[in-house]
Amino acid sequence: MKKKILLLAAVAICAAILASGTLAYFTAEDEVHNVITSGAVDIQIEEWQDEIGNPYPYDPIDVMPGVTVSKIATIKNLEAEAYIRAKFEVVITRADNSVMELSPETLASIITLTMNGEDWLRKDGDGEWWYYNAPVPTGESTEAFFTEVVFDGPNMTNEYQNCTVRVIVKAQGVQTANNGASALEAAGWPAEE
């Protein structure tokens, strides 16, 4: 009988150990998924002729020295409110498609742009960039960056005959949120190519 009691006691102890071990495996787990979205900055350069709303023609415009051609450039903000900056490059190509290598001074003596110096500002030490002086809301456009291209008469000699002049506008935008009080103070501008 003692053996039976010992055997029953051993079975009871084993059952208790198994039960307590099983209880240790009852657990619970939970996961939280927080979704954080960020805004986007997207801009589009718009070119107009004569007035905003009249798209610039894709066909070349024939010009002669001493004329002024209407060309209005604005930048439209397609996404979250943004600061905008822009610059332009004038490229003159000969009839044989070779690009004329001109110093900035020579180029400025034959072609100038009528810039909007009220709404667009230069930043000391920042090269060719012009900064729009106000944040641009979603869906809105800047005031004109420039309005005309002026071809100087006396300085445009025969070497410019049959040449093509392209005015290339480049623009960049950065978020306004937590990014300074103006475009001149803003950080995070894309690196130049």
Side-chain angles (χ1 to χ4, degrees):
M1 175 99 163
K2 271 187 168 185
K3 284 188 178 190
K4 267 187 168 181
I5 292 177
L6 271 172
L7 184 60
L8 285 172
V11 169
I13 291 173
C14 286
I17 290 172
L18 286 174
S20 68
T22 303
L23 290 176
Y25 290 101
F26 293 140
T27 61
E29 198 174 315
D30 194 9
E31 226 176 274
V32 177
H33 295 280
N34 292 319
V35 178
I36 300 171
T37 59
S38 59
V41 175
D42 190 13
I43 59 174
Q44 176 182 335
I45 298 170
E46 305 170 308
E47 292 182 316
W48 313 100
Q49 186 177 23
D50 300 326
E51 62 184 57
I52 293 178
N54 184 10
Y56 205 78
Y58 289 101
D59 296 328
I61 298 172
D62 292 329
V63 297
M64 297 294 288
V67 300
T68 298
V69 176
S70 172
K71 182 177 175 83
I72 303 167
T74 60
I75 293 86
K76 184 172 186 174
N77 181 15
L78 303 173
E79 292 285 345
E81 183 179 78
Y83 293 126
I84 306 287
R85 73 178 183 175
K87 67 179 179 176
F88 66 89
E89 177 183 8
V90 177
V91 178
I92 301 177
T93 308
R94 295 181 187 91
D96 66 0
N97 287 328
S98 63
V99 175
M100 295 181 89
E101 299 295 331
L102 302 171
S103 70
E105 295 78 25
T106 300
L107 190 57
S109 73
I110 58 172
I111 297 173
T112 56
L113 276 64
T114 305
M115 303 301 295
N116 176 348
E118 292 180 28
D119 297 306
W120 292 85
L121 309 170
R122 301 293 298 268
K123 183 177 180 180
D124 290 339
D126 200 12
E128 304 162 335
W129 290 104
W130 291 71
Y131 294 79
Y132 193 64
N133 67 2
V136 182
T138 304
E140 298 293 319
S141 295
T142 65
E143 294 296 322
F145 178 37
F146 57 84
T147 56
E148 300 172 322
V149 181
V150 180
F151 296 88
D152 185 86
N155 291 324
M156 288 192 80
T157 60
N158 285 341
E159 70 179 307
Y160 300 103
Q161 285 187 32
N162 297 315
C163 287
T164 301
V165 176
R166 291 182 298 139
V167 178
I168 302 164
V169 178
K170 295 181 181 181
Q172 296 179 339
V174 295
Q175 71 184 46
T176 59
N178 304 313
N179 197 11
S182 72
L184 294 171
E185 296 176 14
W189 296 104
E192 293 197 49
E193 301 168 0

